[in-house]
Amino acid sequence: MTMSMKDEILKRILAANGEAVSGQELADSLGVSRTAVWKHMQTLQEEGYTFETIKKKGYVLTGVPNSLSPTQIELFLKTEHFGREIHYFDVVDSTQTIAHKLAQEGAPHGTVIIGEEQTAGRGRMARPWESVHGSGIWMTVIVRPDVTPQQASSFTLVVAVAVTMAIKTLYSDIEPAIKWPNDLLINGKKCTGILTEMQAEADLVQALLVGIGINANQEAADFSPDIADIATSLRLEAGEEINRAALVALILQYLEQFTELYIEEGFASIKTLWEQLSCTIGQRIEVTTIRERFEGIASGITDDGVLQLTQDDGLVRTIYAGDIKIL
């Protein structure tokens, strides 16, 4: 990841762990003027970082914003590939749109596109997704697995497991549950949506574009009236502010781990864990497809991640796509 001079200065100050960092030493080691360092420090203050200046010693970091900047995420990152290249935006139309372009231009496996706000965020079936500035996690990860398009159909379920495990690891009091195929619910309310799109040839996936939208730090008043009763945030459920950079880094760690397992052994190796984390299996559900609507018991998923529904007459139906409602 190529860092700007400002980010390099920030990285060194963060690494000092509360000790003073000399502005002159920063200038000398980075080969820039003392004035240039001062200007970058001013920019960092405008971004929400706070410093105390100690005479003859330098800058001491006193406050860090809850930011998704690459430097902040890198502090927590423990991956080999995922998140090692990050494209960060304060405001963007859609991280998914930018990911399509970057993937076509050859962006490497694990590239992340992340924004503080989306003006045209979207979920499945082009539904709009509210992306309030600085409150959530709005990102797309470019994944390049050596699988066929048919095998890739279950990858959204792999992503759901990775996100769920990351949330549970950092916030043990929260119990997110996976609603097939692409939502995470907490106490029956939606906190996360996943959108996986594909660039592929007939028999080879070029890239999977994994869009992840997480309501992290929204307060109840941040949700519009039409979703206020069905949406929640991690902050509302945990009762504390969510460190978004730490959560992003852990999601990427789990996603890298489960992606490697998925490539080597297929979805079947992750299926049991998905079922344990799901709120769908065993529930009576209503399924709406393009052509019809029906209901029954969600009796399981196949090794390819396809939902199986048992109707009241005993007929087992296979659901490849559709909206489901837990009754």
Side-chain angles (χ1 to χ4, degrees):
M1 186 189 307
T2 302
M3 281 196 173
S4 66
M5 185 61 68
K6 179 197 70 176
D7 285 342
E8 186 61 46
I9 290 171
L10 176 59
K11 180 180 178 181
R12 297 186 184 203
I13 292 174
L14 289 169
N17 292 319
E19 298 295 323
V21 178
S22 163
Q24 188 60 57
E25 289 179 3
L26 284 171
D28 293 343
S29 64
L30 295 170
V32 298
S33 68
R34 181 69 181 79
T35 301
V37 170
W38 179 83
K39 288 181 178 178
H40 286 305
M41 295 299 294
Q42 293 296 109
T43 301
L44 288 169
Q45 286 181 315
E46 291 170 3
E47 293 177 357
Y49 295 91
T50 57
F51 304 92
E52 180 184 355
T53 303
I54 300 178
K55 191 174 182 180
K56 295 184 179 180
K57 289 190 175 182
Y59 301 102
V60 175
L61 183 67
T62 56
V64 176
N66 197 331
S67 163
L68 291 174
S69 70
T71 307
Q72 285 293 109
I73 294 171
E74 189 184 45
L75 287 174
F76 305 97
L77 203 57
K78 298 179 181 178
T79 59
E80 182 177 353
H81 301 290
F82 283 48
R84 294 303 169 181
E85 181 172 317
I86 298 177
H87 298 260
Y88 170 74
F89 301 88
D90 186 57
V91 180
V92 65
D93 56 355
S94 166
T95 60
Q96 204 76 355
T97 301
I98 293 175
H100 271 284
K101 181 175 182 293
L102 291 174
Q104 290 171 345
E105 293 172 353
H109 177 64
T111 296
V112 173
I113 301 89
I114 197 162
E116 296 287 356
E117 177 183 352
Q118 292 185 118
T119 58
R122 56 190 170 87
R124 289 175 67 238
M125 303 179 183
R127 295 189 181 107
W129 179 276
E130 293 187 6
S131 309
V132 181
H133 189 281
S135 63
I137 294 171
W138 326 122
M139 71 175 178
T140 301
V141 185
I142 298 174
V143 182
R144 297 189 183 277
D146 183 15
V147 297
T148 67
Q150 292 73 29
Q151 292 171 311
S153 62
S154 59
F155 193 70
T156 296
L157 282 68
V158 177
V159 181
V161 169
V163 176
T164 302
M165 291 299 297
I167 293 172
K168 287 169 65 71
T169 299
L170 284 183
Y171 302 96
S172 58
D173 291 339
I174 298 180
E175 286 293 334
I178 304 169
K179 174 174 171 279
W180 187 91
N182 70 322
D183 292 339
L184 266 60
L185 309 182
I186 302 176
N187 296 321
K189 292 186 175 183
K190 183 172 178 176
C191 73
T192 300
I194 299 166
L195 173 65
T196 303
E197 297 177 320
M198 188 188 313
Q199 293 179 357
E201 298 175 1
D203 58 352
L204 179 67
V205 171
Q206 298 289 352
L208 296 178
L209 312 173
V210 181
I212 302 171
I214 302 175
N215 296 330
N217 281 320
Q218 286 95 330
E219 300 286 3
D222 292 327
F223 296 114
S224 61
D226 56 327
I227 65 169
D229 291 338
I230 60 173
T232 189
S233 72
L234 300 181
R235 180 175 189 157
L236 288 172
E237 301 298 331
E240 63 180 278
E241 185 178 21
I242 303 303
N243 186 323
R244 295 182 298 148
L247 180 54
V248 166
L250 193 55
I251 288 171
L252 294 174
Q253 183 177 332
Y254 274 112
L255 186 56
E256 183 171 89
Q257 172 188 331
F258 286 121
T259 296
E260 290 174 357
L261 185 60
Y262 159 79
I263 292 171
E264 292 173 4
E265 302 181 15
F267 176 71
S269 60
I270 305 169
K271 173 185 171 183
T272 299
L273 182 55
W274 186 95
E275 290 175 327
Q276 292 171 353
L277 298 172
S278 174
C279 62
T280 304
I281 305 305
Q283 299 295 315
R284 187 169 189 85
I285 62 172
E286 179 184 83
V287 179
T288 302
T289 68
I290 296 174
R291 297 184 179 85
E292 59 184 331
R293 180 179 297 175
F294 50 91
E295 62 181 69
I297 302 296
S299 49
I301 55 171
T302 69
D303 287 348
D304 296 321
V306 178
L307 182 66
Q308 293 182 310
L309 177 141
T310 303
Q311 296 185 158
D312 294 342
D313 60 5
L315 177 67
V316 177
R317 302 186 63 158
T318 300
I319 315 300
Y320 291 91
D323 281 345
I324 71 167
K325 178 181 179 182
I326 298 175
L327 301 174

